[in-house]
Amino acid sequence: MTTTPDRYAGALRLDGKRALVTGATKGIGADIARAFASAGATLVLSGRDEAELAAARTALSGEFGVEIHTVAVDLAEGDGPSRLAEAALGAFGGLDVLVNNAGVSYPQSVADTDPALFDATIAVNLRAPALLASIVGAAMVRAGVGGSIITVASAAALAPLPDHYAYCASKAGLVMATKVLARELGPHGIRANSVCPTVVLTEMGQRVWGEEAKAAPMLARIPLGRFAQPHEVSDTVVWLASDLASMVNGVDIPVDGGYTMG
Ligand code: NAP
């Protein structure tokens, strides 16, 4: 006799769900795109590089047989979020899931803060996902069938990191923006939640935390004693997109091995 209750059979599937994943060309976003495709979602993938997007579409549609569209857009540009939202909503005639994952990190101390890099961080990490969620959320409300908005924030939203002045501020702002989404859109059956990973050794993670001298003190503060793998973020994002998380709204989930528990 199986010990697995029938209620979980196929529950972590995303068949029939139309999802937009930003920052899908590399790192965590590429892994989220792969996880969503393997779970049966149809996808709009976004990044800045047309060739990388085309390669991702060919690979994922070939392996998993799901329909995939791509939209190349620079989310730092003023109309980037609205252009992406309109193109993505047009691709499938609506969206059920938005994964706001694209982000940048330009480590700077408080004293050395460069205004241009501060603005660039806020533009990509806070303004773009907040505006995208506003447009996509409004479309979900009009469609009247609910939805799930998932923000890839950071443990840096929950605990201050030296030399990450703009980054911490942008991610903390994003966590709160996501809670406002949860409160305003919840009555329409739209859930909004954040995931807050510790360091993940992607291109970004490697650039910021790759040196042992920087990594060691950070690792010492993580009870599990290691950095996260991209799939550990994706697994949480897939769950939040799925019907298994149907009563989960307005939370920020640390995926950090216990780093931010206090
Ligand atoms: P990554 O490897 O550097 O990938 C970043 C993705 O975002 C790429 O697909 C990139 O597209 C896209 N992107 C960057 N700037 C963009 C812009 N102006 N317009 C459109 N797309 C843009 O980063 P990652 O480590 O996977 O990080 C993904 C998310 O997780 C970010 O929000 C990050 O803050 C968060 N996070 C990362 C870590 C970590 O340690 N890695 C920890 C916590 C949270 P292109 O191909 O065009 O460059």
Side-chain angles (χ1 to χ4, degrees):
M1 196 176 117
T2 175
T3 54
T4 307
D6 284 341
R7 61 189 278 205
Y8 295 127
L12 262 178
R13 297 288 307 170
L14 300 176
D15 303 282
K17 295 196 192 290
R18 303 158 295 176
L20 165 60
V21 180
T22 70
T25 47
K26 37 178 92 84
I28 294 168
D31 200 78
I32 292 171
R34 189 177 169 73
F36 271 53
S38 75
T42 52
L43 287 168
V44 180
L45 306 181
S46 175
R48 283 171 297 186
D49 189 309
E50 303 254 14
E52 285 181 6
L53 285 169
R57 180 181 54 215
T58 303
L60 295 182
S61 58
E63 189 173 353
F64 300 108
V66 295
E67 189 179 346
I68 298 180
H69 292 259
T70 62
V71 184
V73 67
D74 185 345
L75 288 171
E77 290 177 359
D79 65 351
S82 57
R83 282 191 286 124
L84 173 55
E86 296 311 330
L89 287 163
F92 294 119
L95 287 169
D96 304 292
V97 182
L98 166 63
V99 182
N100 263 324
N101 163 78
V104 291
S105 177
Y106 307 109
Q108 299 181 102
S109 68
V110 173
D112 291 332
T113 292
D114 172 85
L117 290 181
F118 190 96
D119 289 350
T121 305
I122 297 296
V124 179
N125 290 9
L126 177 55
R127 180 184 185 275
L131 294 184
L132 256 179
S134 160
I135 302 169
V136 171
M140 287 174 170
V141 169
R142 285 195 299 277
V145 290
S148 176
I149 297 173
I150 301 149
T151 294
V152 181
S154 170
L158 309 177
L161 268 181
D163 300 326
H164 287 71
Y165 189 41
Y167 187 78
C168 286
S170 70
K171 293 295 188 178
L174 190 54
V175 164
M176 184 50 75
T178 305
K179 288 179 194 276
V180 178
L181 291 167
R183 191 164 288 266
E184 282 198 21
L185 304 183
H188 301 277
I190 300 160
R191 299 179 292 107
N193 297 287
S194 307
V195 295
C196 296
T198 183
V199 174
V200 186
L201 289 177
T202 59
E203 214 168 278
M204 176 193 289
Q206 198 64 250
R207 195 174 59 247
V208 180
W209 298 100
E211 287 171 30
E212 207 200 321
K214 278 190 97 175
M218 186 60 165
L219 282 168
R221 295 175 62 187
I222 301 174
L224 289 185
R226 63 179 178 84
F227 293 147
Q229 299 290 325
H231 78 85
E232 292 172 313
V233 182
S234 309
D235 290 345
T236 308
V237 174
V238 168
W239 173 71
L240 283 171
S242 80
D243 297 339
L244 280 184
S246 54
M247 197 58 181
V248 180
N249 189 32
V251 300
D252 37 278
I253 301 176
V255 181
D256 69 355
Y259 163 65
T260 56
M261 72 178 155

